[in-house]
Amino acid sequence: MGVVEAARLLPHMILERSQEVPLSLLLLVVVTTILCACTLLYLAIFIAAPYPRGALASEKAYVTNNADGTASKPARLPCWSDRYSAEQTIARRKSASLQKVTIEPAEIGISLVVPAYNEEDRLSLMLKDAAEYLEQKPFLEASQANGVGTKQSKPKGGKKANGKAKGNSEALNTSPLLPGWEILVVSDGSTDKTISTALGFAHSHGLPSDIIRIVDLKENRGKGGAVTHGMRHVRGQYVVFADADGASRFSDLGMLVAQCQKAEDAKGRGLAVGSRAHLVGSEAVVKRSFLRNFLMHSFHLLLRLLTPPATAAIKDTQCGFKLFSRASLPDIIPFMHSEGWIFDVEMLMLAESANIPVAEVPVGWQEVKGSKLNVVWDSLGMAWGLALLRAAWGLGIYSRW
């Protein structure tokens, strides 16, 4: 019998033999095979799922500018996250309610976190835009116009940014927005003059010490890792992160504050995410390459397929201009895993799972040269990261407990 003939007869032989095997044994083999495949898949996702490294002692310190323009000696960063985790541990040991554990009070009104990797050429312009705006404090006016310190009635089913989540019928904003502000520049393993650029800016613009605080991560973590690290050490009532390239218009911060306050729940938790969705038909986007626009639309489709409903409804998840109320941080930051470009989506998914209201706010935006994003490879990486992220949370590899 030839090889071709044997190959042709093999399926028939297998079928005949299988008919001689008891049905119970066949079912056992099928079930065992499925269980083994599922176990292997789970193990593969468990191994591939990212787990952020712990922070080094030096990364929990910061430097700022002295009056003479030199760098200060490293000082310890305040860390609400460590204190919050410690208080939760104590509460568990005492079998006390974790609901009583709250984040420590804010010291200032606004904290700005700026992730920066080799940004010596673009950082100064962004800091200038941010500092000039924050010094004028128009965000205080936006807060006052929103009625902070008063009980605000909100219509039943009040609209939030995703257009689906329902607002509270009443929101109580009892704390006036504090006047102070800070900028945390998180140098993400930079090898250029990013740190000296930030210090030089603070001195040349006559900013007092501690307004601009620079954190030096010894190894590059990725944008998400740098943002998350900075947000563990903020002192503000409201925390905003913004890209170091200055692509977002910082004067839109007042709108983020106002819309976040309108969206906040009874616990004071809320997010306001900057959105460029209204610019999709603009000249800046139309002039992009076909490949870039194709990848953008493909990623949005993938988001709608892989993310839960409220997150999927957000039209622009990747805009690097997002604001968080302080009360929302403990439900998001301690549970972050993604340190790459996809970290924004994990933040929004965590907010959704904790029932934190999210407002999507149209903001100004411009193309800035010098982007470190590789359109093709980073798009593929984001797709892989999103699928892995969704699988890890869905299978219980990541958990809030």
Side-chain angles (χ1 to χ4, degrees):
M1 182 183 297
V3 175
V4 175
E5 183 67 16
R8 188 179 65 82
L9 294 176
L10 182 60
H12 299 284
M13 295 172 62
I14 294 175
L15 181 60
E16 289 177 359
R17 295 282 182 171
S18 63
Q19 291 175 348
E20 299 174 4
V21 179
L23 180 60
S24 58
L25 182 58
L26 280 176
L27 289 175
L28 179 62
V29 170
V30 171
V31 171
T32 302
T33 302
I34 293 174
L35 288 176
C36 288
C38 290
T39 301
L40 289 174
L41 178 62
Y42 181 89
L43 289 174
I45 295 173
F46 182 85
I47 294 171
Y51 284 88
R53 66 172 175 84
L56 303 174
S58 63
E59 295 173 340
K60 292 191 174 185
Y62 72 95
V63 296
T64 188
N65 57 300
N66 291 321
D68 61 359
T70 58
S72 68
K73 292 182 179 180
R76 186 169 180 81
L77 279 166
C79 186
W80 66 263
S81 179
D82 286 351
R83 181 175 176 179
Y84 184 84
S85 297
E87 290 181 356
Q88 279 198 319
T89 300
I90 293 172
R92 288 191 183 97
R93 289 174 180 171
K94 295 181 177 180
S95 299
S97 173
L98 296 181
Q99 297 295 326
K100 296 181 179 180
V101 180
T102 58
I103 188 171
E104 61 191 56
E107 299 176 23
I108 55 178
I110 297 288
S111 291
L112 167 62
V113 176
V114 183
Y117 174 64
N118 291 343
E119 291 287 359
E120 63 174 332
D121 294 329
R122 304 191 296 179
L123 184 60
S124 292
L125 288 176
M126 184 272 170
L127 291 177
K128 180 176 182 295
D129 187 26
E132 288 179 352
Y133 177 85
L134 291 168
E135 282 181 322
Q136 295 170 5
K137 300 181 177 62
F139 56 88
L140 287 176
E141 298 175 6
S143 175
Q144 291 165 0
N146 193 40
V148 172
T150 62
K151 194 172 185 180
Q152 300 176 2
S153 294
K154 297 176 73 176
K156 187 175 181 180
K159 185 178 180 180
K160 295 174 187 173
N162 54 36
K164 293 186 178 181
K166 290 185 177 181
N168 296 310
S169 59
E170 291 183 335
L172 186 63
N173 291 326
T174 57
S175 300
L177 188 60
L178 298 173
W181 55 276
E182 67 178 352
I183 299 177
L184 269 70
V185 177
V186 184
S187 175
D188 190 19
S190 297
T191 56
D192 66 352
K193 298 179 180 179
T194 293
I195 293 176
S196 59
T197 298
L199 289 170
F201 171 86
H203 176 64
S204 63
H205 284 71
L207 295 179
S209 297
D210 277 350
I211 292 292
I212 292 186
R213 298 180 169 197
I214 298 102
V215 183
D216 184 16
L217 301 184
K218 298 305 178 183
E219 297 179 8
N220 179 269
R221 303 186 74 138
K223 180 183 174 182
V227 169
T228 302
H229 183 83
M231 293 180 74
R232 293 179 185 275
H233 301 282
V234 291
R235 298 177 291 156
Q237 280 176 282
Y238 290 91
V239 181
V240 60
F241 71 80
D243 293 340
D245 59 5
S248 298
R249 189 173 60 198
F250 210 82
S251 58
D252 290 329
L253 177 62
M255 289 195 301
L256 292 183
V257 172
Q259 293 303 315
C260 184
Q261 289 175 338
K262 289 181 180 179
E264 285 173 13
D265 62 15
K267 298 178 183 178
R269 304 179 307 164
L271 269 68
V273 300
S275 175
R276 303 158 296 181
H278 62 293
L279 299 173
V280 168
S282 67
E283 183 180 3
V285 176
V286 171
K287 284 186 175 180
R288 285 178 173 177
S289 68
F290 170 80
L291 176 61
R292 186 167 182 177
N293 282 323
F294 171 77
L295 291 172
M296 176 185 71
H297 291 297
S298 298
F299 179 71
H300 289 167
L301 176 61
L302 192 63
L303 275 173
R304 287 194 290 271
L305 294 174
L306 293 183
T307 56
T311 301
I314 295 174
K315 296 177 182 178
D316 183 5
T317 61
Q318 301 308 112
C319 180
F321 199 39
K322 293 181 174 65
L323 181 130
F324 302 70
S325 70
R326 188 172 185 83
S328 68
L329 298 181
D331 290 315
I332 298 174
I333 300 305
F335 308 105
M336 286 293 296
H337 294 86
S338 177
E339 296 194 307
W341 298 104
I342 204 66
F343 80 99
D344 305 71
V345 177
E346 186 173 25
M347 284 183 165
L348 294 171
M349 287 170 55
L350 286 168
E352 180 175 356
S353 69
N355 295 315
I356 298 175
V358 178
E360 187 169 10
V361 185
V363 296
W365 174 82
Q366 60 182 344
E367 287 274 11
V368 179
K369 294 181 179 180
S371 173
K372 299 174 180 65
L373 181 72
N374 183 299
V375 175
V376 176
W377 288 112
D378 287 327
S379 295
L380 293 174
M382 289 168 67
W384 163 250
L386 176 59
L388 190 60
L389 191 68
R390 195 71 173 102
W393 278 105
L395 293 174
I397 295 172
Y398 293 160
S399 171
R400 287 185 177 273
W401 312 108

